[in-house]
Amino acid sequence: MAIGNIMVIGAGQMGGGIAQVMAQAGHKVYLNDIKQEFIDNRIQFIEKLLTKNVAKGRMTEEEKAKTLENIVPELDMKKGAADSDLVIEAAIEDLKIKGGIFKDLDEAAKEGTILASNTSSLPITKIAAMTKRPDKVIGMHFMNPVPVMKLVEIIRGISTSQETFDTIKGLTEEIGKLPVEIKDFPAFALNRILITMINEAFYTLYEGVGSAEDIDTVMKYGANHPMGPLELADFIGLDTVLAIMTVMYEGFGDSKYRPCPLLKQYVQAGWVGKKCGRGVYTYDK
Ligand code: CAA
């Protein structure tokens, strides 16, 4: 199936990145969120990134203008869904909220429209079961920052059809990303490994094995990671890290996934990372 128009739900860092790469690839993208201000701020951020790409000779002024023209703000989720062949949901990691969104999308979207979730850990099978089109529901898990990272995990729920899978795999390749098929297990593959490592870094900090800076330094210079695990946690958002650990802890029922108490405490304090100016480190807003 050929994908034309796309709607992205959620104008946060993930949704914005997804909208950008789809628009760059020539798709008209409805960008939806609950407030106009969230959408406008994200479009401004995308414009800055595109301006930098033009200055670096990676894109022409015309390509930049076309990309921006392709991104259409749409506060009415149902209206956007009705005119899209694919909807990619990138709302917060809450099964109840996602369930509500998928029910609404199922009612509003055309019969053939594929509903994808960018969930980083929640079961696609369960999300699909909340709709009347489980064969057209799939996981499309992008990495942050989306315009930079090549990987997209494609997750099939138990009912996802081969046609839906092939369409999404083809689209992922079309936009220049690398699709990898992953089974529907808690936190899939990337986050099962990466977030568990970040949780272990929190335990290392909690137990006083080293300072935050030293823990990040050992992983950067001893394992060639581009960012230390605690810096990466701030970048992803400590609330997201905790949510993914909790999904694994509950989903596998295995104590090896127990979220670190220090991580929980930071989230309770509202120190959720770079996006709020404070996480493990502090940032200028
Ligand atoms: N959006 C778009 N582009 C961004 C960006 C953002 N938020 N942040 C950085 N970039 C771009 C920069 O603009 C820059 O592009 P140019 O080369 O055109 O200047 C490029 O990335 C490199 O950035 P910097 O030179 O500023 O910094 P860097 O070389 O240290 O790279 C980084 C930054 C790409 C983020 C790098 O540190 C990195 O790869 N970190 C690890 C990222 C990672 O692990 N991501 C996966 C997170 S897990 C996940 O996403 C899954 C989940 O569900 C939680």
Side-chain angles (χ1 to χ4, degrees):
M1 176 186 155
I3 298 290
N5 297 350
I6 295 172
M7 179 163 75
V8 177
I9 296 177
Q13 51 185 356
M14 296 305 292
I18 297 167
Q20 181 187 331
V21 296
M22 292 299 178
Q24 271 176 220
H27 295 274
K28 178 175 174 181
V29 181
Y30 294 108
L31 183 58
N32 167 270
D33 210 312
I34 49 172
K35 278 192 183 165
Q36 184 69 40
E37 174 196 348
F38 296 161
I39 305 174
D40 293 345
N41 289 347
R42 186 54 56 183
I43 292 177
Q44 270 175 28
F45 180 81
I46 293 172
E47 189 170 359
K48 270 191 212 153
L49 287 177
L50 297 179
T51 302
K52 201 176 72 179
N53 283 344
V54 173
K56 290 199 166 184
R58 294 196 188 123
M59 164 181 262
T60 64
E61 272 296 344
E62 291 71 39
E63 284 163 343
K64 174 188 154 187
K66 186 73 198 137
T67 300
L68 287 171
E69 198 182 297
N70 279 344
I71 305 178
V72 181
E74 180 54 81
L75 267 177
D76 185 341
M77 186 173 83
K78 291 192 171 185
K79 199 168 147 217
D83 192 38
S84 297
D85 301 316
L86 166 68
V87 182
I88 305 173
E89 170 277 321
I92 61 165
E93 285 294 276
D94 181 316
L95 198 54
K96 242 186 174 167
I97 292 176
K98 287 192 194 290
I101 292 173
F102 272 76
K103 267 187 196 151
D104 286 347
L105 290 174
D106 194 24
E107 278 169 24
K110 291 175 286 185
E111 205 183 305
T113 297
I114 294 176
L115 306 180
S117 177
N118 179 54
T119 178
S120 46
S121 60
L122 296 169
I124 297 301
T125 300
K126 204 163 181 175
I127 295 172
M130 293 170 182
T131 73
K132 295 191 187 79
R133 61 177 87 198
D135 57 314
K136 295 191 181 62
V137 176
I138 194 162
M140 205 178 180
H141 182 216
F142 289 82
M143 307 302 143
N144 191 17
V146 178
V148 179
M149 309 297 280
K150 281 281 276 188
L151 180 74
V152 181
E153 286 182 312
I154 314 263
I155 303 109
R156 288 179 196 243
I158 199 165
S159 318
T160 309
S161 72
Q162 187 62 38
E163 193 194 353
T164 299
F165 177 81
D166 291 342
T167 302
I168 294 304
K169 183 168 181 258
L171 175 71
T172 304
E173 285 164 346
E174 179 214 308
I175 62 169
K177 302 279 184 205
L178 178 71
V180 175
E181 182 184 350
I182 297 294
K183 295 237 163 62
D184 192 13
F185 271 63
F188 317 127
L190 185 280
N191 279 337
R192 180 165 173 181
I193 300 163
L194 186 75
I195 302 294
T196 305
M197 178 196 72
I198 290 175
N199 194 48
E200 198 59 34
F202 269 95
Y203 273 113
T204 314
L205 180 65
Y206 183 54
E207 290 164 11
V209 178
S211 67
E213 289 81 1
D214 286 346
I215 291 163
D216 277 345
T217 300
V218 298
M219 293 309 288
K220 269 167 84 171
Y221 296 95
N224 261 2
H225 288 199
M227 282 173 159
L230 298 169
E231 187 189 0
L232 182 57
D234 277 358
F235 178 66
I236 294 169
L238 302 196
D239 48 347
T240 303
V241 171
L242 178 59
I244 297 170
M245 275 318 293
T246 306
V247 166
M248 287 194 282
Y249 186 50
E250 289 171 359
F252 289 112
D254 187 333
S255 63
K256 78 176 176 181
Y257 298 109
R258 186 169 72 100
C260 176
L262 185 64
L263 169 64
K264 281 181 160 176
Q265 212 169 24
Y266 275 43
V267 174
Q268 281 163 358
W271 300 351
V272 292
K274 213 171 172 185
K275 61 188 167 190
C276 79
R278 175 146 199 193
V280 176
Y281 301 100
T282 48
Y283 304 86
D284 295 331
K285 275 216 193 164

